[in-house]
Amino acid sequence: MMKYIFGFFVIVGLVTLGWLYTLYDEIKHDVDKVVNYNPKQSTQFYDKDGRLIANIFKDENREYVKYDNIPARIIEGLVAIEDTQFFEHHGVNLDAISRAMIKNIKAGGYVEGASTLTQQLVKMLVLSREKKLIRKIKEALLSVRLETILTKEEILERYLNNVYFGHGYYGIKTAAKGYFKKDLYELSLKEMSILVGLPRAPSFYDPTKNPKISFARANQVITRLNTLGWINKEQYERSIKEIPEVYNQTLTRNKAPYVIDYVLKKLKKDIPDIYYGGYDIKLTIDLDAQEIAKEALKKSYEQALQRDMQYRKKEKDLDNNYYVEKLNGALVSIDSSTGKILALVGGIDYNESMFNRAVQARRQPGSAIKPFLYQTALNEGLNPASQLVDISRTYDYKDANGNKKKWQPKNYGGRFKGFINLRDSLVQSRNLSTVNLVTDTGIDIMYKSLEEYGFKGMPSDLSITLGSMSVSPLQLSEYFSTFSNHGTIVKPYIIESISNKNGEKLIFEPQTREVNSPEQTFLITSILKDVIKKGTGRRAQVSGIELAGKSGTTNDNVDAWFCGYSPSIQTVIWFGKDDNTPMRRSETGGKTPTPAFAYFYKEYLKIHPEIPRTFEKPANVYESKINGKIEYYTHKSPLPEIEVNIVPENPDEELIEF
């Protein structure tokens, strides 16, 4: 009889061992999921000074932290409250299982678990949370196997980075920043205890919703640490009494949405896992400048709306709504010498419209094209004091259908002066003298020159004189940098460096191309300074700093631009309507965007008083008196031989260009 019984148990044992082996063979591949742990990690965007701009992620908001960077107190608190014998057992704690079984039998149901931290990690990464025997057996087998492959420290690192802490926070580093706005090393013992007490029931112990329950749970952790002798009496009493400040926030807030949208669009193709690859991306953006730029655009926008309201009220034009839900703007500010984008705003309100006008809008530059034309004329031998003809001419041309047409450009108000020097022509943005300048210099020469600057899709006729091509504010920023960067065009860029989760770093460098010499460019800068001093850009003046710039208005006031620069920073601003309908006639490049330009530089000076304030004259630029006034000249742009007395301008005259 005993022989049969013994044989029965041998068979049962063999079957059990065979079943366990088969079960283990089925799940051994699951070990790889834990060993080769590769969780989704949030990508962080920082400004030039290392300040967080945005935190993007897919499914799980997680910022990974290595074990060596996790404070020892966090490890102690977690082990004390969840698995005191963690460093002694081999994945499964048989004593804890026995105690839990007895309690569950007495209670007649499941009231206590006995999972080790290793088992909890396995359950999170591989198995379901169902309380079934087969799952518990798989969990135990995997845990035992895992502890033969990974060190205790590696298991804890995976646990603390994977566990959910509530509020959308995955991993303890993310939770610390979310609940306390602190890095791990800045946390107090009480704050650490709150965090390690959360994983058991993140919603129930949420310190933003149930602070009393959360603090009570933290005090359990602190008491347990004291009982084990891991903290002293003073630490215990101080921590028990502490009531830390908890923040109810989301780490997904984006401080510069137009910027982040632009960067993501640039990176998506080359970095498919940009949303979950755990990249640290340093941008050229200055968060302070970005905020000033937003405020500047908003203020000019509100001023335009106010003018429109006053006009309609005065004229009783209540049905003619020019601006509401239509007027918008964009601003791009760069470091002139490097092309680093300091601020980029694609609209008045991102919540109202995500369309990024700074990058995506293609608008005609209007009179903002004129500095390029005048630069070409100077390079061809003219001087700022050279005389231009300011009279009307009629031009014959054929339209797209071959029909003969006539074009007769006019100055604002139909006035003309007969003769005007090149400097005053650009300062006052005279259309007739500009058209004659282009004609006399040569349309082919002007066209080729504009191509060298970067303009594309231009008509090969005189309409280029009035800026009939299309550009985005960002593109115009690039081309205009030839003036702000002493003749060298610098391509604006916004990504300074990209670091992946392995610490590999890619650094971006400026891209430049020289198209003019510093001395020739200085001649234009000297004229554009006068544009702000006494020309169409007078509203862009800022006390305490030299500024140069050019306004631009297109036909029917569809677009209003101001492109300007200080000795170190360039800013391009555009206003218009998304549907390309006209603004009111009084809204020009000299009126709508100039207050935004002035506000930006005024406020920027407050936070960066160290920036250069005056333009430096190159060594090969000379000066002499002509007609009683100081004028600059170079070897390529000599002073004219004949002096002509010019009728002085009325300084109070309203200058508007088209």
Side-chain angles (χ1 to χ4, degrees):
M1 186 68 179
M2 292 299 295
K3 181 172 70 173
Y4 292 112
I5 294 174
F6 177 75
F8 173 78
F9 280 110
V10 169
I11 292 172
V12 171
L14 291 174
V15 171
T16 301
L17 287 174
W19 177 75
L20 289 173
Y21 179 81
T22 302
L23 185 62
Y24 178 75
D25 188 60
E26 291 177 0
I27 63 176
K28 66 181 181 180
H29 298 294
D30 292 332
V31 175
D32 292 337
K33 296 179 182 179
V34 184
V35 173
N36 301 314
Y37 179 56
N38 186 28
K40 292 179 179 178
Q41 298 181 40
S42 303
T43 289
Q44 314 276 322
F45 293 88
Y46 300 94
D47 85 337
K48 71 181 189 66
D49 296 320
R51 293 173 292 184
L52 184 67
I53 298 176
N55 184 50
I56 66 165
F57 59 92
K58 184 177 182 181
D59 301 327
E60 298 176 359
N61 183 7
R62 176 183 290 106
E63 190 172 351
Y64 200 89
V65 57
K66 293 289 188 181
Y67 179 85
D68 290 342
N69 295 323
I70 300 174
R73 282 291 184 214
I74 289 179
I75 303 298
E76 292 172 352
L78 176 66
V79 170
I81 200 67
E82 290 289 341
D83 188 359
T84 307
Q85 293 181 301
F86 174 75
F87 287 98
E88 283 76 48
H89 64 64
H90 299 287
V92 177
N93 189 336
L94 297 178
D95 291 339
I97 292 174
S98 300
R99 290 194 301 271
M101 287 179 63
I102 294 172
K103 287 186 178 181
N104 290 337
I105 291 171
K106 288 181 178 179
Y110 186 89
V111 295
E112 183 176 318
S115 296
T116 63
L117 288 171
T118 309
Q119 288 174 281
Q120 292 180 41
L121 178 62
V122 168
K123 184 162 46 181
M124 285 189 290
L125 294 179
V126 179
L127 304 174
S128 69
R129 292 181 174 271
E130 293 179 300
K131 299 178 178 66
K132 292 182 178 180
L133 179 61
I134 186 66
R135 186 197 62 77
K136 295 298 292 183
I137 293 173
K138 287 182 179 180
E139 180 185 290
L141 289 172
L142 281 169
S143 298
V144 171
R145 174 59 178 156
L146 195 61
E147 295 239 1
T148 66
I149 302 174
L150 297 177
T151 65
K152 293 287 186 178
E153 291 76 13
E154 289 172 332
I155 291 171
L156 286 172
E157 180 180 314
R158 285 160 173 75
Y159 179 92
L160 284 169
N161 279 290
N162 190 78
V163 72
Y164 181 60
F165 287 86
H167 259 258
Y169 306 144
Y170 286 84
I172 195 159
K173 185 174 183 179
T174 312
K177 289 184 175 180
Y179 287 120
F180 305 114
K181 294 185 180 180
K182 294 181 180 180
D183 283 317
L184 293 176
Y185 64 86
E186 298 175 307
L187 297 174
S188 68
L189 177 58
K190 184 64 165 278
E191 291 166 339
M192 293 179 185
S193 299
I194 290 173
L195 292 181
V196 299
L198 276 170
R200 177 164 294 189
S203 180
F204 183 70
Y205 293 123
D206 186 341
T208 67
K209 298 177 181 177
N210 306 309
K212 291 184 179 180
I213 296 174
S214 179
F215 293 166
R217 170 68 170 166
N219 288 342
Q220 289 180 348
V221 176
I222 295 168
T223 300
R224 180 63 175 160
L225 286 168
N226 183 57
T227 301
L228 293 171
W230 293 356
I231 60 173
N232 58 37
K233 183 179 179 181
E234 181 184 349
Q235 292 170 316
Y236 167 78
E237 292 177 348
R238 183 175 64 249
S239 298
I240 288 290
K241 294 176 183 177
E242 182 187 348
I243 301 178
E245 183 175 6
V246 181
Y247 296 90
N248 188 3
Q249 62 169 342
T250 170
L251 294 180
T252 60
R253 286 184 299 177
N254 189 336
K255 296 178 181 177
Y258 284 116
V259 168
I260 300 303
D261 283 359
Y262 171 54
V263 174
L264 286 174
K265 188 174 181 179
K266 290 176 69 69
L267 295 179
K268 278 180 184 177
K269 184 177 179 181
D270 295 326
I271 309 178
D273 64 340
I274 186 67
Y275 282 96
Y276 55 87
Y279 296 92
D280 281 348
I281 301 177
K282 186 176 182 182
L283 304 181
T284 61
I285 291 294
D286 179 338
L287 269 179
D288 295 327
Q290 180 72 14
E291 189 60 31
I292 292 171
K294 286 167 55 180
E295 293 172 359
L297 268 188
K298 190 71 177 292
K299 286 182 180 296
S300 279
Y301 168 78
E302 290 172 346
Q303 289 174 16
L305 291 183
Q306 185 65 32
R307 286 194 296 270
D308 182 62
M309 186 179 300
Q310 291 172 352
Y311 179 87
R312 288 188 287 118
K313 184 177 179 180
K314 178 181 178 182
E315 301 295 325
K316 297 182 180 180
D317 189 10
L318 301 178
D319 295 327
N320 192 354
N321 190 336
Y322 274 73
Y323 292 106
V324 177
E325 298 179 357
K326 290 185 178 181
L327 183 66
N328 226 301
L331 183 152
V332 179
S333 188
I334 67 172
D335 180 286
S336 302
S337 62
T338 63
K340 292 181 178 181
I341 298 175
L342 302 175
L344 184 148
V345 185
I348 301 300
D349 188 343
Y350 181 84
N351 293 323
E352 292 292 329
S353 171
M354 295 185 290
F355 180 65
N356 193 336
R357 295 155 191 83
V359 179
Q360 297 171 285
R362 297 292 186 272
R363 312 293 294 222
Q364 291 187 2
S367 299
I369 198 70
K370 290 178 180 177
F372 299 94
L373 305 175
Y374 281 70
Q375 181 72 77
T376 301
L378 292 174
N379 293 345
E380 289 295 311
L382 293 187
N383 180 273
S386 297
Q387 299 300 300
L388 306 182
V389 179
D390 187 49
I391 59 174
S392 181
R393 293 178 180 176
T394 300
Y395 298 90
D396 295 321
Y397 71 98
K398 292 183 179 181
D399 63 16
N401 298 320
N403 300 317
K404 291 184 177 181
K405 299 283 185 179
K406 292 183 181 295
W407 179 51
Q408 190 175 45
K410 297 180 180 180
N411 288 324
Y412 178 72
R415 294 166 294 182
F416 59 90
K417 299 196 172 187
F419 288 96
I420 189 172
N421 67 36
L422 184 148
R423 175 179 291 275
D424 289 341
S425 175
L426 183 53
V427 168
Q428 299 171 22
S429 199
R430 310 287 293 186
N431 287 339
L432 294 179
S433 51
T434 301
V435 172
N436 293 327
L437 171 69
V438 171
T439 303
D440 294 342
T441 303
I443 185 70
D444 292 340
I445 292 175
M446 289 293 186
Y447 189 92
K448 183 179 179 182
S449 176
L450 290 176
E451 281 188 322
E452 290 175 353
Y453 287 115
F455 291 98
K456 297 179 177 64
M458 297 178 292
S460 54
D461 55 44
L462 276 174
S463 66
I464 62 172
T465 306
L466 304 181
S468 59
M469 69 290 293
S470 295
V471 292
S472 70
L474 184 62
Q475 287 174 324
L476 192 52
S477 294
E478 176 180 348
Y479 311 152
F480 212 83
S481 67
T482 184
F483 309 120
S484 63
N485 193 33
H486 319 296
T488 298
I489 289 179
V490 59
K491 189 175 183 64
Y493 70 103
I494 200 166
I495 303 170
E496 192 161 302
S497 66
I498 300 176
S499 300
N500 64 20
K501 58 190 176 184
N502 299 319
E504 299 167 330
K505 193 171 187 178
L506 177 64
I507 298 176
F508 293 79
E509 300 289 346
Q511 299 179 38
T512 61
R513 53 191 177 93
E514 186 176 333
V515 292
N516 288 309
S517 66
E519 53 267 25
Q520 288 301 112
T521 306
F522 180 81
L523 297 180
I524 285 291
T525 294
S526 73
I527 299 174
L528 297 185
K529 283 168 61 179
D530 283 349
V531 170
I532 290 181
K533 286 180 182 178
K534 57 184 179 181
T536 59
R538 284 178 288 185
R539 291 180 177 87
Q541 293 180 28
V542 175
S543 177
I545 188 170
E546 288 188 339
L547 297 169
K550 181 68 183 76
S551 54
T553 309
T554 59
N555 287 336
D556 299 322
N557 295 64
V558 172
D559 301 285
W561 297 81
F562 195 80
C563 310
Y565 50 98
S566 72
S568 61
I569 296 170
Q570 173 189 292
T571 304
V572 170
I573 301 173
W574 166 85
F575 273 94
K577 299 183 189 177
D578 292 332
D579 61 3
N580 285 294
T581 55
M583 297 180 287
R584 201 173 292 286
R585 186 170 173 78
S586 59
E587 298 301 331
T588 66
K591 178 175 282 188
T592 312
T594 44
F597 183 88
Y599 181 88
F600 179 83
Y601 280 89
K602 180 181 177 182
E603 295 301 313
Y604 192 84
L605 274 176
K606 292 179 182 178
I607 59 174
H608 291 291
E610 76 284 356
I611 65 172
R613 306 292 187 98
T614 58
F615 293 101
E616 294 186 9
K617 181 167 68 72
N620 294 329
V621 175
Y622 313 99
E623 57 185 71
S624 182
K625 273 194 173 183
I626 184 168
N627 287 328
K629 295 181 180 180
I630 295 293
E631 188 54 88
Y632 298 107
Y633 66 97
T634 65
H635 292 298
K636 186 179 283 190
S637 298
L639 291 171
E641 296 179 1
I642 301 176
E643 298 184 8
V644 178
N645 290 321
I646 303 172
V647 178
E649 293 293 324
N650 179 0
D652 297 323
E653 180 182 1
E654 180 74 6
L655 299 174
I656 301 178
E657 83 292 348
F658 292 93

